[in-house]
Amino acid sequence: MRKAQKDKIIYTVLLVLCIVIFWVIEQYFWSPEFKIKEQAEVEIPAYVYPETQNAQIVKHNHYALAYSEEHEQAQWVAYGLFRSQLTTDIRERPYFIEDPKVKSGSADWRNYKNSGYDRGHLCPAGDRRFSESAYNETFYTSNISPMNREFNAGIWNRLEIQVRNWARQYDSLWVVTGGVLTDDLPDIGYESVSVPEAFYKIVIRGNEDQLEAIAFLIPHRESTLPLNEFRVTVDYIEQLSGIDFFEALDDELENRLESSANGSDWRY
């Protein structure tokens, strides 16, 4: 065999070997990181926290969550949204990384690769543009759930925008949100990340003794229907999810908040 042919074969083999090495590094060794500056945690009122079973409570600076190892995502995410936080600052999107506070390890971002689903935020990155640190926090994989792309960019995004509009109107809100996690859900990735069939969002305003709440349950598919068509009682979300919301409140107030779908005036 001529020397030129041998050299060509050698160079081809080396090129293929380099490609394989880089692929292995990306898949198994490369872990993108971003820095979260230590800040005082935003104190979430006790009445906002749902009662949680079989999940780890994790508190970050600007939101809290209950992580379900069984479903490799949060049962719920709770956070505050205030008028003073609403900015249009441009932030550079970091990579998604595992949550260092989840003891069992939150789902690897690679579970979502080629799955056909978005890495859908539960606490929206758009609500945290007021600081780089707060924005970056939302890219922990404990804060994401598999979402159909049209759903994520469509009706779910419309609801997130509406919540921001309410923050402008009412100054301060508390939000509890997540996918409805039940048995026998489809899943994606090598860690079997559950794909919810519906997502909920509960929004709370007012003082503790005069609270108003509005709740939405949206099937996991795009819809052009008005948001009000998906308004439900908190009781109904509890029945589907098995989560007890507002369990720290006085029973009478808890019952009032949970039992009415249209008992308070929220301006759309």
Side-chain angles (χ1 to χ4, degrees), residues 77-95:
V77 172
Y79 59 95
L81 185 60
F82 313 108
R83 184 186 296 152
S84 61
Q85 295 176 338
L86 298 175
T87 73
T88 56
D89 294 2
I90 303 300
R91 299 287 174 190
E92 182 178 351
R93 285 176 66 91
Y95 292 102

Side-chain angles (χ1 to χ4, degrees), residues 28-259:
Y28 299 104
F29 297 102
W30 182 61
S31 178
E33 294 183 356
F34 53 76
K35 293 182 179 180
I36 298 292
K37 295 179 182 178
E38 288 300 321
Q39 299 177 339
E41 292 180 355
V42 174
E43 190 66 31
I44 298 175
Y47 62 81
V48 175
Y49 283 97
E51 183 180 43
T52 302
Q53 298 178 349
N54 302 318
Q56 180 196 346
I57 304 296
V58 175
K59 295 183 179 181
H60 290 297
N61 293 331
H62 297 283
Y63 66 90
L65 61 95
Y67 195 80
S68 168
E69 178 63 21
E70 176 186 359
H71 295 282
E72 289 291 4
Q73 63 196 276
Q75 288 182 356
W76 52 259
V77 172
Y79 59 95
L81 185 60
F82 313 108
R83 184 186 296 152
S84 61
Q85 295 176 338
L86 298 175
T87 73
T88 56
D89 294 2
I90 303 300
R91 299 287 174 190
E92 182 178 351
R93 285 176 66 91
Y95 292 102
F96 287 94
I97 66 170
E98 293 182 38
D99 189 333
K101 292 189 176 183
V102 174
K103 295 176 182 177
S104 59
S106 62
D108 192 305
W109 61 273
R110 296 174 184 87
N111 286 284
Y112 289 77
K113 289 183 69 174
N114 303 316
S115 69
Y117 289 93
D118 281 358
R119 302 169 181 90
H121 282 78
L122 296 175
C123 177
D127 289 356
R128 293 292 179 259
R129 293 183 180 277
F130 58 87
S131 89
E132 181 181 8
S133 179
Y135 186 78
N136 286 350
E137 262 191 348
T138 68
F139 286 83
Y140 286 135
T141 58
S142 57
N143 183 47
I144 63 174
S145 180
M147 290 188 187
N148 172 278
R149 185 154 299 167
E150 288 73 24
F151 171 87
N152 188 26
I155 192 167
W156 192 247
N157 182 56
R158 282 199 284 133
L159 180 55
E160 291 175 344
I161 292 171
Q162 180 60 66
V163 173
R164 285 194 279 275
N165 288 337
W166 280 328
R168 291 185 182 94
Q169 292 178 35
Y170 304 121
D171 188 31
S172 59
L173 304 172
W174 297 102
V175 182
V176 184
T177 188
V180 178
L181 303 180
T182 57
D183 295 334
D184 301 321
L185 289 172
D187 58 64
I188 60 170
Y190 67 92
E191 291 180 288
S192 300
V193 181
S194 296
V195 180
E197 295 179 348
F199 288 85
Y200 68 88
K201 196 179 292 288
I202 301 168
V203 187
I204 310 156
R205 76 174 197 257
N207 300 319
E208 184 171 351
D209 57 345
Q210 292 182 320
L211 293 175
E212 300 289 349
I214 188 170
F216 297 88
L217 180 72
I218 306 181
H220 190 185
R221 58 180 179 271
E222 171 54 347
S223 174
T224 57
L225 291 173
L227 290 172
N228 208 44
E229 293 293 319
F230 301 98
R231 191 168 174 177
V232 297
T233 65
V234 176
D235 274 336
Y236 186 59
I237 298 174
E238 288 183 333
Q239 292 169 23
L240 295 179
S241 66
I243 299 172
D244 183 10
F245 299 97
F246 306 128
E247 57 97 18
L249 288 176
D250 172 84
D251 287 344
E252 182 178 349
L253 178 54
E254 180 183 4
N255 291 335
R256 179 179 67 79
L257 286 175
E258 293 180 354
S259 62

